[in-house]
Amino acid sequence: MQTIIEPFRIKSVEPIRLTTREERASILEAAHYNLFDVRSEDVMIDLLTDSGTAAMSADQWGGVMRGDESYAGSPSYERFEAAVKALMPFEHVIPTHQGRAAERILMGLVGGAGRVIPSNTHFDTTRANIEATGAEARDLVHADGLDPALDRPFKGNMDLDRLEALLDARAADVPLVLCTITNNSGGGQPVSMANLEGIGALCRRYDVPFVLDACRFAENAYFIKQREPGYADTSVEAIVREMFSHADGMTMSAKKDGLVNMGGWIALNDDAWAEAARNQLILTEGFPTYGGLSGRDLEAIAIGLQEVVREDYLNYRIASTQYLGDALTDRGIPIVQPVGGHAVYVDAKAFLPHIPPLHYPGQSLAVALFLAGGIRGCEIGSVMFGKQPDGSEAPAAMELVRLAIPRRVYTQSHIDYVIECFEEVQAQKEQLPGYRITKEPPQLRHFTAHFAPRDA
Ligand code: F0G
C-alpha cells in the first residue's frame, strides 16, 4: 500500500474557527504583524511549534485519572522512572516541569565563567541557560549542517575534528559535551549513531561527561533506522538504547517526544551530580519524585514514551513531515534539505530575493501565510537573531520560516490546505512587502516586537 494512514482514530475534537481574508487582515493589523500576538483561536492551522502541542491518546488520558498526587513516594513517579529507564538506562531520573528547567539546573551545577560547553547547535534556551552562568556556549555542527540546500542524511552531526581540537586545548574548561537530537536549530536534522559513538569516545578519552539534549530522540532514532547502514532491521527501541549507551546523561523536554503537553527531566549516571541536581530541584521545582509536575503528568509521560517509539507512529510522523516538504519542493519553494523530523524550514531568503535580510523576508512570508489561510509559522532569521549585543543590527546566517508539525493533531487534508495556501502566496510573491520594526524590547525581540509593512 502506498498510502500511509494516520495510525489512530479521532475520539475527541477541537473546532477550528474558519476566518475570512478580511478578518485575518484586521487580526494582523491589531497584532502589529507579530504572530506571537495573535490569539490561537484566530489561527486555523497552528504550526508555531511542535512543543507541548501533541494530542494525547486515550491511554494517556486514562493514565491522567490514575495519577497519584501524593507529595512523596508516588507510584506515578515509579511508573515514570521505569518508562524512562526502559529506553534510557541512566541511574538517576529527576523530573522537571519542562526542558529549560532541566537545563537551568544542570548548567547551574557545571557552568560558570571560563567554562565552555560545546554542542552541535545549542537550542536558544540551552544557550541562554549556559550564558546566564557566565560560561560560553559553542556550536560545533559539521559544515554540512550550515548549507540549507545540501542533501545529506545526518546534517545534525557534530564536527568531531573541531570537538577534538577543543578538548585537546581546553578539556579542563569543558564540564560536559552536549549534543542536540535532532538538531532543532539546524533544521531538525538527525545525528548518526556513528557520530554519537565518536563523541562518546572523545569524551571518554578526555574524561569529560557526554550529555544528550534528547527532546526528539525517537525521531532521531527513526532516521538512523531509515538512513544509517546496518540499522534497517534493528527495532527503534534498540536503536534508542544504543544511542543513549554512548552518553552519561540527558536533559529532556517531554513536550516533544514525550507526547505530552508539559514535562521534562534530567537523567544522570553520576551520583554526586544527581545529588546536587536534586538539591537544586527542591529549591525551585519540587520534591524529587514530582519535580514541578503532577502525578498525572508523570503517568502521561510514562505512556507517551511507550507510544512514541512504535514504528507505525514514527513512520506516519516522519512521512507526514516529508509530505509537506516534498510538496513545497515540487512547487519550486526552497526549503532546508532534507526535510527534518518535526518541521519544514522554508528558505525565505531564496524564496523572496527582492526583500533584503534586514527587511525581514521570513517575517514577510510568515505574515503572508497567515493572511492567505490563517496559518501560523515562525520566523527564524534576522528578526530573531539580527539584534547584536551592542544594539546594532546584522543579518542572521539564514532567513527561515519554520512550519513545525504538532504530533497527532493535523490530518493530511489540513496539510493539503497548507500547500494550497503556499501556491497562493507563491503566485504573488513579488508583491510581498518587507517589514520594519516600529517597537522592540531590549532582549528576545521576536516575541513582542511591533512591525509595519514597508511600501512596496
Ligand atoms: N532543547 C531543544 C532542542 C528544544 O527544541 C527545546 C524547546 C528545549 C530544549 C527547551 O524545552 O520548551 O520544554 O523548555 N523547543 C521548543 C520549540 C520551544 O518550539 O522548538 P522546553
Side-chain angles (χ1 to χ4, degrees):
M1 285 293 163
Q2 292 298 305
T3 310
I4 298 170
I5 63 168
E6 287 85 0
F8 49 80
R9 294 180 296 201
I10 296 167
K11 189 169 209 154
S12 178
V13 298
E14 282 182 280
I16 294 174
R17 191 170 81 83
L18 306 182
T19 52
T20 62
R21 193 181 175 94
E22 288 65 40
E23 282 176 284
R24 293 192 289 272
S26 47
I27 290 165
L28 280 169
E29 205 178 324
H32 306 281
Y33 301 92
N34 187 333
L35 297 177
F36 284 101
D37 216 9
V38 172
R39 296 168 68 238
S40 62
E41 287 176 344
D42 289 338
V43 177
M44 287 174 59
I45 308 281
D46 204 345
L47 307 181
L48 188 60
T49 180
D50 65 318
S51 179
T53 51
M56 294 213 295
S57 67
D59 277 356
Q60 285 177 295
W61 284 109
V64 165
M65 279 309 297
R66 191 167 63 151
D68 179 306
E69 305 301 344
S70 306
Y71 189 90
S74 160
S76 298
Y77 172 76
E78 288 167 16
R79 283 189 279 272
F80 159 77
E81 183 191 31
V84 173
K85 287 188 172 182
L87 293 171
M88 300 118 179
F90 297 115
E91 270 313 299
H92 306 279
V93 183
I94 302 167
T96 60
H97 80 271
Q98 64 182 85
R100 66 197 71 184
E103 294 165 355
R104 164 87 184 81
I105 288 170
L106 184 64
M107 299 313 162
L109 298 181
V110 305
R115 304 264 163 99
V116 49
I117 299 180
S119 185
N120 42 358
T121 313
H122 290 283
F123 182 67
D124 49 12
T125 59
T126 325
R127 170 174 288 277
N129 274 304
I130 291 170
E131 290 175 351
T133 72
E136 179 194 340
R138 195 176 294 184
D139 291 338
L140 296 180
V141 71
H142 190 278
D144 287 354
L146 297 172
D147 179 351
L150 188 72
D151 195 341
R152 292 277 187 283
F154 293 104
K155 284 170 74 177
N157 281 356
M158 186 119 76
D159 185 329
L160 296 180
D161 293 337
R162 288 171 69 205
L163 178 62
E164 184 170 5
L166 173 67
L167 291 173
D168 205 42
R170 296 185 58 184
D173 300 330
V174 180
L176 55 84
V177 173
L178 271 180
C179 184
T180 314
I181 53 173
T182 56
N183 193 23
N184 183 13
S185 309
Q189 302 293 327
V191 177
S192 70
M193 191 72 84
N195 196 251
L196 293 174
E197 192 180 349
I199 300 168
L202 278 175
C203 285
R204 272 189 302 283
R205 170 138 53 98
Y206 289 91
D207 200 21
V208 173
F210 175 26
V211 174
L212 288 169
D213 174 354
C215 306
R216 300 176 180 87
F217 71 93
E219 292 169 8
N220 200 91
Y222 197 69
F223 281 123
I224 289 176
K225 186 177 171 80
Q226 283 185 322
R227 297 181 183 173
E228 193 158 350
Y231 287 95
D233 299 324
T234 313
S235 74
V236 171
E237 283 175 63
I239 294 173
V240 169
R241 280 191 284 269
E242 187 178 334
M243 282 161 45
F244 286 94
S245 74
H246 298 299
D248 305 293
M250 66 184 290
T251 57
M252 178 72 187
S253 168
K255 299 171 73 169
K256 286 83 169 172
D257 275 350
L259 293 178
V260 293
N261 307 117
M262 191 52 72
W265 67 86
I266 311 171
L268 295 165
N269 280 333
D270 187 88
D271 296 339
W273 276 15
E275 189 181 335
R278 287 196 177 102
N279 289 337
Q280 280 304 309
L281 190 82
I282 290 174
L283 281 183
T284 57
E285 290 280 297
F287 190 73
T289 57
Y290 70 84
L293 293 170
S294 303
R296 64 179 84 100
D297 298 322
L298 296 169
E299 296 279 355
I301 295 171
I303 297 163
L305 285 178
Q306 292 164 20
E307 295 177 352
V308 80
V309 292
R310 286 187 195 147
E311 297 191 14
D312 58 356
Y313 162 74
L314 283 167
N315 192 28
Y316 137 79
R317 168 74 179 158
I318 300 298
S320 52
T321 309
Q322 181 85 39
Y323 178 80
L324 175 58
D326 286 349
L328 298 186
T329 304
D330 289 348
R331 285 159 181 75
I333 295 163
I335 63 166
V336 175
Q337 298 287 358
V339 179
H342 67 295
V344 174
Y345 293 72
V346 183
D347 184 348
K349 187 154 59 179
F351 185 60
L352 302 174
H354 65 288
I355 302 180
L358 292 181
H359 294 187
Y360 315 128
Q363 189 67 20
S364 178
L365 174 58
V367 169
L369 285 169
F370 186 85
L371 185 62
I375 298 160
R376 175 155 69 173
C378 183
E379 194 265 8
I380 303 188
S382 292
V383 173
M384 198 179 266
F385 299 123
K387 188 87 175 178
Q388 305 302 303
D390 67 3
S392 67
E393 268 206 277
M398 297 193 259
E399 304 295 336
L400 305 176
V401 174
R402 183 179 79 167
L403 306 170
I405 317 287
R407 294 170 179 78
R408 305 192 292 206
V409 169
Y410 294 115
T411 62
Q412 188 168 339
S413 63
H414 291 116
I415 300 300
D416 285 334
Y417 171 82
V418 172
I419 295 162
E420 200 179 325
C421 290
F422 259 97
E423 288 172 348
E424 187 182 310
V425 170
Q426 188 177 28
Q428 30 134 41
K429 74 188 185 87
E430 281 82 17
Q431 277 86 58
L432 294 186
Y435 281 78
R436 61 192 162 82
I437 292 179
T438 56
K439 187 175 167 216
E440 66 180 16
Q443 272 118 29
L444 297 173
R445 65 178 180 178
H446 54 284
F447 290 126
T448 54
H450 291 181
F451 299 86
R454 289 174 182 267
D455 296 332

